Amino acid sequence: MKTFPASQLIINADGSVFHLHLKPEYLADKVILVGDQDRVNMVASFFDEGSIECDVQSREFHTITGKFQGKRISCISTGIGTDNCDIVMNEIDALANIDFNTREEKAEKRCLDIIRIGTSGAMQADIPLGTFLVSQKSIGFDGVLAFYKDRDKIADLGFEKAFVDFIGYPKKAAVPYVVAANPALVDRIAKDDMMRGCTIAANGFYGPQGRVLRVDLAVPDINEKITDFRYEGQRITNYEMEGSCIAGLALHMGHRAMTVCCIIAQRKAEAANTDYKPRIKELVRTVLERI
């Protein structure tokens, strides 16, 4: 079993993990990830009365663990971007599978169910605002997975090559990676009333998602190409900013993970809904019932 020195796994004086400030005993096997730290309170508002075990916040990382209809659940905010998700995924895996007293990897591993609930922009004209869309595959523009061994073993290399060739992807950018969500978890959450698709996790909100303000794009027609791209009957349905790292690291670590988003922008129609919070609450309630 591996042993992890203080420089690799930083444990705070109170026994909590470095960034999340969460102790191992407060992590549930069912984990909901949200970007917005305030959304953690909204998720927890559905928890059973008197069931909250912990409410911890450090920077953008906010965790509340409690129960919904008797199911123990941790809701954790990641902030924006896959860089933050790299922190959250590694630290929740450490909480689950490393003994903080001995600093040794545990012989018996915990497998977490990890569901990201977010907002997203649709890339296809037939996806209306308010749609609940589950990412069966995530396409990472961020490059995070390339820093981990055996990246190619968990990626869809054929999809990657076809995408890079079709888009004319910038040569100096990180090569996109394509990873799948856990199929059983997708079926449990999506059932037959949520759309399923392939989602880009962009490493920025403006240029990486094809938005143009004062600086022109390296690939000016990137969004048109993304909309037109097809691979083995699959199309790219939407943009968000975190799912690829979550799905990829979950595959490496032996956890089950997926992303589900509420569509709040329609990139083809150039429309957006800023009054989306009631629909997000509906999505949260649905995920809590199905998790």
Side-chain angles (χ1 to χ4, degrees):
M1 291 297 170
K2 292 181 180 178
T3 301
F4 305 92
S7 62
Q8 302 294 318
L9 173 63
I10 303 174
I11 300 174
N12 299 314
D14 64 355
S16 64
V17 73
F18 185 57
H19 294 92
L20 300 185
H21 279 250
L22 193 63
K23 296 180 181 180
E25 60 266 30
Y26 290 130
L27 179 71
D29 287 340
K30 298 178 186 295
V31 180
I32 290 176
L33 299 182
V34 295
D36 183 355
Q37 56 194 287
D38 291 335
R39 194 169 293 160
V40 175
N41 291 320
M42 187 266 280
V43 173
S45 71
F46 290 100
F47 286 176
D48 302 341
E49 186 175 355
S51 71
I52 291 177
E53 302 173 23
C54 74
D55 186 340
V56 179
Q57 183 154 8
S58 175
R59 301 187 184 183
E60 61 266 63
F61 307 113
H62 183 195
T63 302
I64 296 179
T65 296
K67 292 181 179 178
F68 174 81
Q69 298 178 353
K71 296 178 289 191
R72 189 168 183 255
I73 298 168
S74 293
C75 183
I76 304 172
S77 64
T78 63
I80 295 175
T82 53
D83 50 346
N84 284 345
C85 290
D86 176 72
I87 291 171
V88 172
M89 288 296 294
N90 274 284
E91 293 198 356
I92 63 174
D93 180 69
L95 290 165
N97 292 314
I98 296 174
D99 186 318
F100 275 32
N101 294 314
T102 65
R103 292 183 168 274
E104 293 180 346
E105 183 180 11
K106 293 179 181 178
E108 186 174 339
K109 304 295 189 298
R110 285 170 67 187
C111 176
L112 306 175
D113 284 344
I114 303 166
I115 299 173
R116 163 169 151 70
I117 301 175
T119 55
S120 180
M123 295 300 295
Q124 303 293 337
D126 63 339
I127 304 175
L129 295 173
T131 298
F132 296 160
L133 197 153
V134 170
S135 305
Q136 289 183 298
K137 287 192 175 180
S138 289
I139 302 134
F141 281 5
D142 51 275
V144 167
L145 217 61
F147 289 89
Y148 293 92
K149 185 180 178 181
D150 294 333
R151 168 249 196 250
D152 286 359
K153 290 184 178 180
I154 64 169
D156 186 334
L157 301 180
F159 193 124
E160 290 176 13
K161 184 178 187 309
F163 178 79
V164 169
D165 291 347
F166 185 87
I167 299 299
Y169 206 73
K171 295 187 184 303
K172 293 190 176 181
V175 176
Y177 59 90
V178 180
V179 289
N182 180 267
L185 199 56
V186 166
D187 287 342
R188 190 198 312 172
I189 300 301
K191 292 188 179 292
D192 59 359
D193 57 5
M194 293 186 187
M195 184 176 286
R196 306 182 190 204
C198 300
T199 304
I200 291 173
N203 54 345
F205 184 77
Y206 290 96
Q209 293 189 37
R211 289 184 172 92
V212 184
L213 296 182
R214 294 188 60 249
V215 182
D216 291 336
L217 301 178
V219 183
D221 58 346
I222 189 169
N223 279 354
E224 288 77 9
K225 290 181 175 179
I226 285 170
T227 300
D228 292 342
F229 173 77
R230 299 291 185 275
Y231 177 73
E232 295 184 347
Q234 302 168 91
R235 61 178 185 167
I236 295 171
T237 48
N238 58 316
Y239 270 123
E240 54 92 52
M241 294 180 66
E242 288 82 26
S244 58
C245 177
I246 294 167
L249 288 181
L251 285 168
H252 271 317
M253 295 168 174
H255 302 302
R256 293 181 287 264
M258 59 158 282
T259 291
V260 56
C261 288
C262 178
I263 299 299
I264 67 167
Q266 228 305 335
R267 301 300 299 274
K268 290 293 289 181
E270 296 188 345
N273 175 21
T274 56
D275 186 23
Y276 57 82
K277 290 186 179 179
R279 190 68 173 150
I280 282 286
K281 288 188 77 170
E282 184 180 344
L283 176 57
V284 166
R285 175 89 191 192
T286 302
V287 171
L288 287 170
E289 289 172 347
R290 296 178 182 180
I291 192 172

